[in-house]
Amino acid sequence: MTRSTFVCWWLPPVAWGAFILVVTSIPRMPVPLPEMSGIDKVSHLAVYGVLGLLLMRAFMNCRELSVGPATKWTLAAGGIFAGLQELNQTWIPGRGAEVLDLAANVAGLVLAVVAVRAWQRLIHRTDQCDRADAARVVKDNARMRKEMTTMAEALHVDEDTFESEVLQSDKPALVDFWAPWCGPCQMMGPTIDKLAGDYEGEAVIAKVNVDDSPDLASKYGIRSIPALLFFKDGEVADQMVGVQSEDALKEKLDSLA
C-alpha cells in the first residue's frame, strides 16, 4: 500500500476509530449527570454510522470491491472494533460495557451500509437511464441517417438527355417541369426528391427547368408550373398541374407500374 493510498482511503476510518477509542476511554466524572441514555444511544448510532461510511468508502475505492463484499468487510471490521471498544470500557473507571451501546454501534454500521447500497443502486439506475437515452439517441441518429441516404435527388434532365433518360426508359417516369423563381415549384421540390428515393430502381423521377429547356416545355404544352407529367413507354400517360400531395403522386406512379 502506497502512502498516498493510505492517506486518501484508510487514514480517515483509522483516525475516526482512534477518535472513538480515545473519547470512550476518558473516565467518567464523579459528578452525577442527568439521565441521557436516549441521546447517548443516538450518539453511538451516529458515530458508528460515520465509521461505516468511511469503511465502505475505503473498501470500495482502495480494494476495488463491489458493494456486496464491501458490505461484508465493513460489518465484520466495524463489528469487531465495536466489540473491542465496548470491552475496553470495562477497564475504564466509571465506565462499563452495555449491550444497548453495542447494539447501537452495530445499527449505525448497518444504516451506513444500507445508505451506501441505496446510493449505488440509484447511481446504477441513473447510469442505465443514461445508457438507454444514449442508445436511443444513437438509434434515432442511425434512423435519420438511413432516411437521409434513402432520400435521393430527382434526376435533372434537359433537351439533350430527356429522350434517353425518360422516353427510352423501360420504367414509368414522373417529370416535374419547374423553374427556380416559382414558389409552388419550390414547395414541390422536397416531395419530388423523396419520391426519387422511394421509387429508386422502380421509376424515373426527373425534373426539367423550363428556363433552360423552353423547347421541351413548348413541346409538351407547359403553360403553368409546376406541371407534373407521367410517362410510360415514351408517351404521356397522365399529367397534373399545381402543388400535389405525395400520396396523389404515388397513386399515379403505382397505376403505371
Side-chain angles (χ1 to χ4, degrees), residues 172-177 184-185 187-196 198-199 203-206 226-231 238-257:
L174 165 60
V175 181
D176 174 23
F177 286 82
C185 298
M187 294 174 60
M188 282 298 305
T191 301
I192 298 300
D193 288 337
K194 186 174 186 305
L195 289 175
D198 293 343
Y199 284 85
V204 176
I205 310 297
L228 305 164
L229 273 60
F230 296 86
F231 290 81
D238 206 340
Q239 63 181 1
M240 305 173 77
V241 178
V243 177
Q244 305 294 326
S245 68
E246 180 183 342
D247 291 338
L249 297 177
K250 284 186 173 182
E251 184 179 351
K252 291 288 186 181
L253 282 171
D254 293 341
S255 68
L256 298 176

Side-chain angles (χ1 to χ4, degrees), residues 6 9-26 46-55 77-86 88-89 105 109:
F6 175 79
W9 305 117
W10 290 111
L11 183 59
V14 170
W16 188 251
F19 171 77
I20 295 173
L21 195 59
V22 169
V23 171
T24 56
S25 298
I26 300 175
V47 167
Y48 273 83
V50 173
L51 179 63
L53 292 175
L54 293 175
L55 286 173
I80 292 173
F81 179 78
L84 293 175
Q85 183 253 329
E86 289 298 323
N88 176 64
Q89 292 196 72
N105 296 341
L109 293 170

Side-chain angles (χ1 to χ4, degrees), residues 16 21 43 47 52 66 76 93 99 107 115 132 142-143 164 181 186 188 196 237 241:
W16 188 251
L21 195 59
S43 66
V47 167
S66 61
V99 176
R143 178 179 56 79
S164 61
W181 45 262
Q186 300 297 332
M188 282 298 305
V241 178

Side-chain angles (χ1 to χ4, degrees), residues 26 33 36 39 44 47 57 61 63 72 83 85 121 134 148 166-167 170 174 178 180 186 217 226 232 247:
I26 300 175
L33 296 174
M36 301 178 66
I39 297 179
H44 278 265
V47 167
R57 174 179 176 269
N61 291 280
R63 298 292 299 277
K72 296 177 182 178
Q85 183 253 329
R121 188 174 293 111
M148 292 176 66
V166 176
L167 300 182
D170 58 351
L174 165 60
W178 73 292
Q186 300 297 332
K232 185 173 183 180
D247 291 338

Side-chain angles (χ1 to χ4, degrees), residues 106-148:
V106 174
L109 293 170
V110 172
L111 287 176
V113 167
V114 170
V116 172
R117 294 177 72 96
W119 177 253
Q120 291 294 319
R121 188 174 293 111
L122 178 62
I123 292 177
H124 179 67
R125 289 181 180 178
T126 302
D127 290 343
Q128 285 184 322
C129 292
D130 291 342
R131 286 195 294 270
D133 291 341
R136 191 177 300 111
V137 170
V138 171
K139 184 177 180 181
D140 290 343
N141 289 339
R143 178 179 56 79
M144 291 176 63
R145 285 195 298 270
K146 183 178 179 180
E147 290 178 353
M148 292 176 66

